[in-house]
Amino acid sequence: MKSLFYSHFFILLPWILIVIIMIDIDTKRTVRRTTNFYLSRFSKPQRTFLPTIYAITPTYRRAVQKAELTRLSNTFRLVPSFHWIVVEDSNARTELVSRFLARSGLQYTHLYVPTPRRYKRPGMPRATEQRNAALGWLRTHRSPKDSGVVFFADDDNTYSVELFDEMRTTQRVSVWPVGLVGGRRYERPLVDKGRVVGWYTGWKANRPFPIDMAGFAVNLQVVLRSPRALFKRLGSKPGMQESDFLKQITRVDELEPRAANCTQVLVWHTRTEKVNLGNERWKDSVQIEV
């Protein structure tokens, strides 16, 4: 009887072991899948490398200055790998802008340079010294090892977060449409087979680059390799600063269309309405920063 039992036992033993091994393997797979599921949902994602976007914003003292900067900062905080270069048209850093930037939660550089009084006349290009000061800072504090994109973000515009995704892969100079500019709902580069072939513009279409300041971005290395590329003051006219600058670093056939081949508007030249302060002669007993 015992011999019969043992003979059956040893016949079944390999199959029993196989079943145990399969159950163990399946259990481990289930545990591994469950572990990976929870890790993917609750662990911090691994950050991928992103070139830094350097947004250059000239600003000057006026009633709506803080409101304008607040609107920009609310958008910029949503952009990863972002560095804000704010340049005041001033003889020194003002307390308002210093406090604002310190509380903004953004990585920033705060510069200042005054516009000479003789260039503050109506009809003269604006923010020339401020943009050039920011370019100078980049050329001094960044090197060929740094990866990034330079964008001129004036404080009277409104920006979609998508715009920064579009510009981040800029190899040399990228371009896109701008809304509410040039007396039209939008202006844009005309694109054929992935290349810029013309311009849809409402103002001075014969400009070398009929584009708004908010309509292009430049790879950081292009800026560093072109140390003489600056915004012109002498001989430059309003609306020509973009062309004067771009002529020094690129050609039209080298431009890189973005925003679905320049068919999407992701930035608007909104301009805040001039405020009415006619009743300011009655002063509050408390001084509040606006």
Side-chain angles (χ1 to χ4, degrees):
M1 187 70 181
K2 285 184 179 181
S3 61
L4 181 62
F5 171 77
Y6 284 119
S7 64
H8 283 83
F9 174 76
F10 285 114
I11 291 172
L12 293 173
L13 181 60
W15 295 103
I16 294 170
L17 291 174
I18 290 172
V19 170
I20 292 172
I21 291 170
M22 293 301 293
I23 292 172
D24 181 64
I25 291 173
D26 188 63
T27 302
K28 287 180 178 178
R29 286 175 177 171
T30 302
V31 171
R32 190 179 300 115
R33 284 197 298 267
T34 304
T35 302
N36 290 338
F37 171 77
Y38 283 104
L39 284 174
S40 65
R41 285 181 66 86
F42 299 110
S43 64
K44 291 183 179 180
Q46 295 294 318
R47 290 187 177 182
T48 56
F49 173 77
L50 291 174
T52 301
I53 292 176
Y54 296 93
I56 296 172
T57 300
T59 188
Y60 63 98
R61 185 175 180 176
R62 62 203 191 277
V64 299
Q65 182 181 30
K66 188 176 180 181
E68 302 274 39
L69 295 175
T70 298
R71 185 183 67 256
L72 264 61
S73 68
N74 288 339
T75 298
F76 294 166
R77 274 196 294 268
L78 302 175
V79 183
S81 191
F82 186 90
H83 189 125
W84 198 8
I85 304 177
V86 179
V87 192
E88 291 194 73
D89 185 351
S90 173
N91 290 308
R93 295 181 181 88
T94 64
E95 290 187 14
L96 185 149
V97 176
S98 296
R99 280 194 299 267
F100 176 84
L101 290 174
R103 298 170 181 171
S104 69
L106 290 162
Q107 183 180 3
Y108 68 89
T109 295
H110 185 188
L111 307 175
Y112 65 92
V113 59
T115 300
R117 183 170 295 181
R118 64 184 180 276
Y119 296 133
K120 288 190 173 184
R121 301 191 307 272
M124 297 292 288
R126 296 184 297 175
T128 301
E129 287 74 20
Q130 290 72 40
R131 295 188 184 104
N132 286 340
L135 293 173
W137 185 91
L138 286 169
R139 288 164 178 150
T140 302
H141 294 85
R142 294 298 179 264
S143 73
K145 296 180 181 179
D146 294 305
S147 178
V149 175
V150 180
F151 174 57
F152 298 97
D154 288 355
D155 64 1
D156 58 352
N157 293 337
T158 301
Y159 305 95
S160 167
V161 174
E162 297 174 70
L163 177 65
F164 302 97
D165 293 332
E166 293 286 332
M167 72 173 71
R168 202 181 294 273
T169 57
T170 300
Q171 299 301 305
R172 287 190 58 82
V173 179
S174 58
V175 293
W176 50 79
V178 178
L180 309 178
V181 67
R184 290 186 168 178
R185 291 189 304 122
Y186 61 86
E187 291 185 334
R188 73 181 186 96
L190 301 176
V191 178
D192 182 45
K193 297 178 181 178
R195 304 189 73 170
V196 175
V197 296
W199 308 88
Y200 177 81
T201 181
W203 188 75
K204 290 191 176 181
N206 61 341
R207 288 173 289 162
F209 294 86
I211 193 170
D212 187 79
M213 194 69 69
F216 66 93
V218 184
N219 187 286
L220 174 63
Q221 293 306 315
V222 173
V223 171
L224 299 184
R225 290 195 301 264
S226 309
R228 295 185 179 180
L230 295 169
F231 289 92
K232 290 174 58 178
R233 170 58 76 186
L234 297 177
S236 185
K237 298 179 180 179
M240 292 298 294
Q241 284 195 305
E242 298 88 347
S243 290
D244 290 340
F245 178 72
L246 290 171
K247 282 191 303 184
Q248 302 172 71
I249 59 174
T250 192
R251 304 190 309 265
V252 171
D253 61 354
E254 294 177 332
L255 297 175
E256 304 158 36
R258 293 290 189 270
N261 272 336
C262 297
T263 61
Q264 295 178 348
V265 176
L266 301 174
V267 54
W268 298 262
H269 196 42
T270 42
R271 300 186 183 183
T272 301
E273 181 182 3
K274 187 175 181 179
V275 295
N276 179 6
L277 300 177
N279 292 324
E280 273 292 290
R281 58 184 178 273
W282 290 288
K283 299 293 183 182
D284 192 357
S285 60
V286 179
Q287 292 297 315
I288 298 176
E289 182 180 280
V290 180

